[in-house]
Amino acid sequence: MEEVVLGKITKAEYGQSPNYECMFGIHLSFEFPNGGIADGEKYLLNISPEYKWENEDEKYRMFMDQQVEINKVLTDAKVNYVSQLVNKPVEITTNNRFFKKFRILTEVL
């Protein structure tokens, strides 16, 4: 069951996954009334030299797409750094209580 809730970002970091050093990207956690959720490492990419990409073009496209998405989030939140996302208002979509996506509430900034 899909659910949409309003909340805020409580953690925003950019770097390696503490669980998997080969995974790199943005980590986000959210708080909303009666709960909270993390992004489930959705915004991470495998940077291991052993990872077998289909081709180099796919690899660079994925990295570029990641950076474009992070830039959109920063632009929507009117900030310059990932750390400045903390406490920004968001709309969080979950599916069966698992993180699906989020958006910055630009209309209230």
Side-chain angles (χ1 to χ4, degrees):
M1 179 178 86
E2 191 166 284
E3 181 181 14
V4 178
V5 294
L6 300 180
K8 67 179 181 176
I9 297 173
T10 56
K11 179 181 174 185
E13 297 178 339
Y14 185 76
Q16 288 179 334
S17 166
N19 302 323
Y20 305 100
E21 292 178 359
C22 64
M23 302 300 284
F24 191 85
I26 191 170
H27 301 266
L28 300 169
S29 295
F30 307 91
E31 181 181 285
F32 48 86
N34 302 318
I37 197 166
D39 63 14
E41 300 185 343
K42 179 176 179 168
Y43 302 106
L44 299 180
L45 292 176
N46 191 328
I47 61 168
S48 169
E50 290 84 34
Y51 185 77
K52 302 297 180 209
W53 294 91
E54 286 186 30
N55 59 58
E56 286 295 304
D57 288 343
E58 177 198 19
K59 176 181 177 180
Y60 293 112
R61 183 187 55 77
M62 293 293 292
F63 280 95
M64 186 59 162
D65 289 350
Q66 180 191 54
Q67 299 308 303
V68 168
E69 187 167 343
I70 291 169
N71 185 60
K72 180 183 181 333
V73 170
L74 295 176
T75 300
D76 286 352
K78 300 178 182 173
V79 299
N80 299 104
Y81 301 102
V82 170
S83 60
Q84 293 172 311
L85 292 172
V86 172
N87 292 319
K88 293 297 180 185
V90 291
E91 177 183 86
I92 307 143
T93 303
T94 61
N95 192 357
N96 293 323
R97 299 184 185 242
F98 287 97
F99 177 83
K100 185 175 178 185
K101 64 183 179 177
F102 80 101
R103 74 174 184 90
I104 301 290
L105 292 174
T106 56
E107 58 272 23
V108 298
L109 291 179

